[in-house]
Amino acid sequence: MPGPLTLLGVPIDSVGRAGGTELAPAAFRSFLRPGDPWDRDGGDLDVRIRGDLRDPSTGIVGSGDVLAMTRAVADAVAGSVAGGERPFLIGGCCSFVPGAVAGASRAAGPTAIAYVDGHLDLYDGTTSPTGEAADMPMAVVLGAGPPAWVEAAGATTEGRHAAILGYRDLDEALGHGHPHPDTVAGLTYADAEAVLADPSGVGAAVAERFGAAPGRLWVHLDVDVLDEEVFPATDYLMPGGLGLDPLTDLLRPLLGSPALVGASFACYNPEKDPDGACGSALAQVARDTLVS
């Protein structure tokens, strides 16, 4: 039987200012209701990212806070997993992902990641056009991000144990010097068009692959994988994304995998959701896909 699901909030926004996605954990909880799949609410981690300056050594805005947050997330996830739980992190921006995957790996052994996002997020501290940590999570997970951040996470994942699904920023990213995903040995990748052609098939294939080796799976959702007209309550809007039904079809086999060790949702900005429609839709996606 799978372990109990524990909700953990990670209230961060890598732009380095208060508000935005750091408000997401509290807002998300307001849309929950009795019978939702979480067995326990573990509260919010005491983390924030502050600062406007790009650190010259790491290339990251708010670098010290990013590294401290990464260590805190890794410790929290490792403790949750070691205690027999499956942590579900609600952020916040995607910069908590390296700590989450590293913490799961520390407690449960090598952990694969299915990264569902409108962006590839393989920038490093030099190629990122903004210096925001949210540009770089998958590079850090794969050991190719800023060395100090990789060290802070404490564990990396091989390309053959990673998948990036739903991106639609390839041309823009390559223009900034971002690596093409085919340069990452073993990486599974499928852009939004490929996912939309068969969302349940893509999800099932990735779940099957990672359910066998290494045997543990972390699933991460950035809501900007959704089309800008479907989910405007995020900070990086793009056309051509998924709808809510295709997203649910993609996530259902991933989050239902017996190998699932933990999961995370990120980049919901409640300040852009005055009527709560997006937050309510996100909570519904969670209850339609998570297995308690």
Side-chain angles (χ1 to χ4, degrees), residues 262-277:
S264 46
F265 285 8
C267 296
Y268 165 50
N269 184 345
E271 293 182 322
K272 297 185 175 184
D273 190 27
D275 65 357

Side-chain angles (χ1 to χ4, degrees), residues 97-99 101-102 111-115 120-123 136-146 149-151 153 155-164 178-189 210:
V97 171
V101 177
T111 299
I113 178 168
Y115 192 78
L120 287 154
D121 289 346
L122 290 166
Y123 289 106
M136 314 177 202
M138 281 304 292
V140 179
V141 167
L142 295 168
W149 193 1
V150 174
E151 181 180 358
T156 59
T157 298
E158 296 180 37
R160 64 194 177 97
H161 296 150
I164 303 176
H178 183 289
H180 195 286
D182 67 9
T183 65
V184 180
L187 178 68
T188 297
Y189 56 94
F210 293 155

Side-chain angles (χ1 to χ4, degrees), residues 7 13 52 54 61 65 71 90 113 137 221 224 233:
L7 184 66
D13 193 321
D52 297 318
R54 192 166 184 171
V61 172
D65 284 349
R71 296 185 188 100
I90 181 70
I113 178 168
L221 167 67
D224 70 22

Side-chain angles (χ1 to χ4, degrees), residues 70 73-82 85 87 96-114 140-143 150 152-158 161-162 213-219 259-263:
T70 299
V73 170
D75 287 346
V77 168
S80 179
V81 173
E85 299 174 336
F96 65 71
V97 171
V101 177
S105 297
R106 186 196 309 172
T111 299
I113 178 168
V140 179
V141 167
L142 295 168
V150 174
T156 59
T157 298
E158 296 180 37
H161 296 150
R216 298 291 183 270
L217 173 64
W218 189 278
V219 177
L260 187 76
V261 69

Side-chain angles (χ1 to χ4, degrees), residues 27-28 30-33 36 38 88 90 221 223 226-227 229-233 242-245 247-248 251-252 265 268 273 275-290:
F28 184 78
S30 73
F31 299 107
L32 302 184
R33 60 196 191 200
D36 279 348
W38 294 279
F88 176 87
I90 181 70
L221 167 67
V223 296
L226 290 160
D227 189 84
E229 294 188 2
V230 172
F231 201 99
L242 277 59
L244 290 167
D245 288 344
L247 175 62
T248 299
L251 289 178
R252 189 172 282 117
F265 285 8
Y268 165 50
D273 190 27
D275 65 357
C278 289
S280 179
L282 184 60
Q284 189 61 48
V285 169
R287 65 177 60 97
D288 285 345
T289 56
L290 284 164

Side-chain angles (χ1 to χ4, degrees), residues 34-100:
D36 279 348
W38 294 279
D39 300 281
R40 185 174 76 86
D41 188 340
D44 288 353
L45 302 185
D46 184 16
V47 291
R48 295 293 190 278
I49 297 173
R50 293 289 184 270
D52 297 318
L53 299 179
R54 192 166 184 171
D55 181 77
S57 60
T58 64
I60 306 170
V61 172
S63 182
D65 284 349
V66 170
L67 302 188
M69 173 275 298
T70 299
R71 296 185 188 100
V73 170
D75 287 346
V77 168
S80 179
V81 173
E85 299 174 336
R86 290 178 300 156
F88 176 87
L89 274 55
I90 181 70
C93 71
C94 296
S95 58
F96 65 71
V97 171

